[in-house]
Coordinates of all heavy atoms in Angstrom, one line a residue:
P393 N -18.5 7.0 2.9 CA -18.6 5.8 3.7 C -19.7 5.8 4.8 O -20.0 6.9 5.3 CB -17.2 5.7 4.4 CG -16.8 7.2 4.5 CD -17.3 7.8 3.3
K394 N -20.1 4.6 5.1 CA -21.1 4.4 6.2 C -20.8 3.1 6.9 O -20.4 2.1 6.3 CB -22.5 4.3 5.7 CG -23.1 5.6 5.1 CD -24.5 5.5 4.7 CE -25.0 6.8 4.1 NZ -25.6 6.7 2.9
I395 N -20.9 3.1 8.2 CA -20.8 1.9 9.0 C -22.2 1.3 9.1 O -23.1 1.9 9.6 CB -20.2 2.1 10.4 CG1 -18.7 2.6 10.2 CG2 -20.2 0.8 11.2 CD1 -18.1 3.0 11.5
E396 N -22.4 0.1 8.6 CA -23.7 -0.6 8.7 C -23.9 -1.4 9.9 O -25.0 -1.6 10.4 CB -23.9 -1.5 7.5 CG -24.0 -0.7 6.2 CD -24.5 -1.6 5.0 OE1 -23.9 -2.7 4.8 OE2 -25.4 -1.2 4.3
H397 N -22.8 -1.9 10.5 CA -22.8 -2.7 11.7 C -21.5 -2.6 12.4 O -20.5 -2.6 11.8 CB -23.2 -4.2 11.4 CG -23.2 -5.0 12.6 ND1 -24.3 -5.0 13.5 CD2 -22.3 -5.9 13.1 CE1 -24.0 -5.8 14.5 NE2 -22.9 -6.4 14.3
E398 N -21.6 -2.5 13.7 CA -20.3 -2.6 14.5 C -20.5 -3.6 15.7 O -21.6 -3.7 16.2 CB -20.0 -1.2 15.1 CG -21.1 -0.4 15.7 CD -20.7 1.0 16.0 OE1 -20.2 1.7 15.1 OE2 -21.0 1.5 17.1
S399 N -19.4 -4.3 16.0 CA -19.5 -5.3 17.0 C -19.6 -4.6 18.4 O -19.2 -3.5 18.6 CB -18.2 -6.1 17.0 OG -17.1 -5.3 17.3
E400 N -20.2 -5.4 19.3 CA -20.3 -4.9 20.7 C -18.9 -5.0 21.3 O -18.6 -4.2 22.2 CB -21.3 -5.7 21.5 CG -22.8 -5.4 21.1 CD -23.8 -6.2 21.9 OE1 -23.5 -6.5 23.1 OE2 -24.9 -6.5 21.4
E401 N -18.1 -6.0 20.9 CA -16.8 -6.1 21.4 C -15.9 -4.9 21.0 O -15.9 -4.5 19.8 CB -16.1 -7.4 20.9 CG -14.8 -7.6 21.5 CD -14.1 -8.9 20.9 OE1 -14.7 -9.6 20.1 OE2 -13.0 -9.1 21.3
L402 N -15.2 -4.3 21.9 CA -14.4 -3.2 21.7 C -12.9 -3.6 21.5 O -12.5 -4.6 22.1 CB -14.5 -2.1 22.8 CG -15.9 -1.6 23.0 CD1 -15.9 -0.6 24.2 CD2 -16.4 -0.9 21.7
G403 N -12.2 -2.8 20.8 CA -10.8 -3.0 20.6 C -10.1 -1.7 21.0 O -10.6 -0.6 20.8
S404 N -8.9 -1.8 21.6 CA -8.1 -0.7 22.0 C -6.9 -0.5 21.1 O -6.2 -1.5 20.8 CB -7.7 -0.9 23.5 OG -6.9 0.2 23.9
Y405 N -6.7 0.7 20.7 CA -5.5 1.0 19.9 C -4.9 2.3 20.3 O -5.6 3.3 20.6 CB -5.9 1.0 18.4 CG -4.7 0.8 17.5 CD1 -4.2 -0.5 17.3 CD2 -4.1 1.9 16.9 CE1 -3.1 -0.6 16.5 CE2 -2.9 1.7 16.1 CZ -2.5 0.5 15.9 OH -1.3 0.3 15.1
N406 N -3.6 2.4 20.3 CA -2.9 3.7 20.6 C -2.9 4.5 19.3 O -2.0 4.3 18.5 CB -1.5 3.3 21.1 CG -0.8 4.5 21.8 OD1 -1.5 5.4 22.3 ND2 0.5 4.6 21.7
E407 N -3.8 5.4 19.2 CA -4.0 6.2 18.0 C -3.2 7.5 18.0 O -3.1 8.1 19.0 CB -5.5 6.5 17.8 CG -6.4 5.4 17.5 CD -7.8 5.7 17.1 OE1 -8.0 6.8 16.5 OE2 -8.7 5.0 17.5
G408 N -2.8 7.9 16.8 CA -2.2 9.2 16.6 C -2.9 9.8 15.4 O -3.8 9.1 14.8
C409 N -2.5 11.0 15.0 CA -3.2 11.6 13.9 C -2.2 12.6 13.2 O -1.5 13.3 13.9 CB -4.4 12.4 14.4 SG -5.3 13.3 13.1
L410 N -2.2 12.6 11.9 CA -1.2 13.5 11.2 C -1.6 14.9 11.4 O -0.7 15.8 11.2 CB -1.3 13.2 9.7 CG -0.8 11.8 9.3 CD1 -1.0 11.5 7.8 CD2 0.7 11.6 9.7
S411 N -2.8 15.3 11.8 CA -3.2 16.6 12.1 C -2.9 17.0 13.6 O -3.2 18.1 14.0 CB -4.7 16.8 11.8 OG -4.9 16.8 10.4
I412 N -2.5 16.0 14.4 CA -2.2 16.2 15.8 C -0.9 15.6 16.1 O -0.8 14.6 16.8 CB -3.3 15.7 16.7 CG1 -4.7 16.2 16.3 CG2 -3.0 16.1 18.2 CD1 -5.8 15.7 17.1
P413 N 0.2 16.1 15.5 CA 1.5 15.4 15.6 C 2.0 15.3 17.0 O 1.8 16.2 17.8 CB 2.4 16.3 14.7 CG 1.8 17.6 14.6 CD 0.3 17.3 14.7
G414 N 2.7 14.2 17.3 CA 3.3 14.1 18.6 C 2.4 13.6 19.7 O 2.8 13.5 20.9
I415 N 1.1 13.4 19.5 CA 0.2 13.0 20.5 C -0.4 11.6 20.1 O -0.9 11.4 19.0 CB -1.0 14.0 20.6 CG1 -0.6 15.4 20.8 CG2 -2.0 13.5 21.7 CD1 -0.2 15.8 22.2
T416 N -0.3 10.7 21.0 CA -1.0 9.4 20.8 C -1.8 9.1 22.1 O -1.3 9.5 23.2 CB 0.0 8.3 20.5 OG1 0.9 8.2 21.6 CG2 0.7 8.5 19.2
E417 N -2.9 8.5 22.0 CA -3.7 8.1 23.1 C -4.4 6.8 22.8 O -4.8 6.5 21.7 CB -4.8 9.2 23.4 CG -4.3 10.5 23.9 CD -3.7 10.4 25.3 OE1 -4.0 9.5 26.1 OE2 -2.8 11.3 25.6
E418 N -4.6 6.0 23.9 CA -5.4 4.7 23.8 C -6.9 5.0 23.6 O -7.5 5.7 24.4 CB -5.1 4.0 25.1 CG -5.4 2.5 24.9 CD -4.3 1.8 24.1 OE1 -3.1 2.3 24.1 OE2 -4.6 0.7 23.6
I419 N -7.4 4.6 22.5 CA -8.8 4.8 22.1 C -9.6 3.5 22.0 O -9.1 2.6 21.3 CB -8.9 5.6 20.8 CG1 -8.1 6.9 20.9 CG2 -10.4 5.9 20.5 CD1 -8.6 8.0 21.9
L420 N -10.7 3.4 22.6 CA -11.6 2.2 22.4 C -12.6 2.5 21.3 O -13.3 3.5 21.3 CB -12.4 2.0 23.7 CG -11.7 1.3 24.9 CD1 -12.6 1.2 26.1 CD2 -11.3 -0.1 24.5
R421 N -12.7 1.5 20.4 CA -13.7 1.5 19.3 C -14.2 0.1 19.1 O -13.6 -0.8 19.5 CB -13.0 2.0 18.0 CG -12.5 3.4 18.1 CD -11.9 3.8 16.7 NE -11.2 5.1 16.7 CZ -11.8 6.2 16.3 NH1 -13.1 6.2 16.1 NH2 -11.1 7.4 16.3
P422 N -15.4 0.0 18.4 CA -15.8 -1.3 18.0 C -14.7 -2.1 17.3 O -14.0 -1.5 16.4 CB -17.0 -1.0 17.1 CG -17.5 0.3 17.6 CD -16.3 1.1 18.0
K423 N -14.5 -3.3 17.7 CA -13.4 -4.1 17.1 C -13.6 -4.5 15.7 O -12.7 -4.5 14.9 CB -13.3 -5.4 18.0 CG -12.1 -6.2 17.6 CD -11.8 -7.3 18.6 CE -10.7 -8.1 18.1 NZ -9.9 -8.9 18.8

């Protein structure tokens, strides 16, 4: 995969990860 374009507007999501169980954090990424 490659990202060809990302918006300037950011979205926030409470992310978790199967490799980091029990931890979630609010992360900002292109929306």
Side-chain angles (χ1 to χ4, degrees):
K394 291 183 178 129
I395 296 175
E396 292 190 313
H397 179 76
E398 48 190 46
S399 66
E400 288 184 28
E401 182 184 0
L402 300 178
S404 175
Y405 198 81
N406 196 27
E407 291 186 36
C409 180
L410 296 174
S411 292
I412 309 176
I415 305 280
T416 59
E417 293 292 334
E418 202 71 26
I419 304 295
L420 278 175
R421 296 183 185 268
K423 186 173 177 161

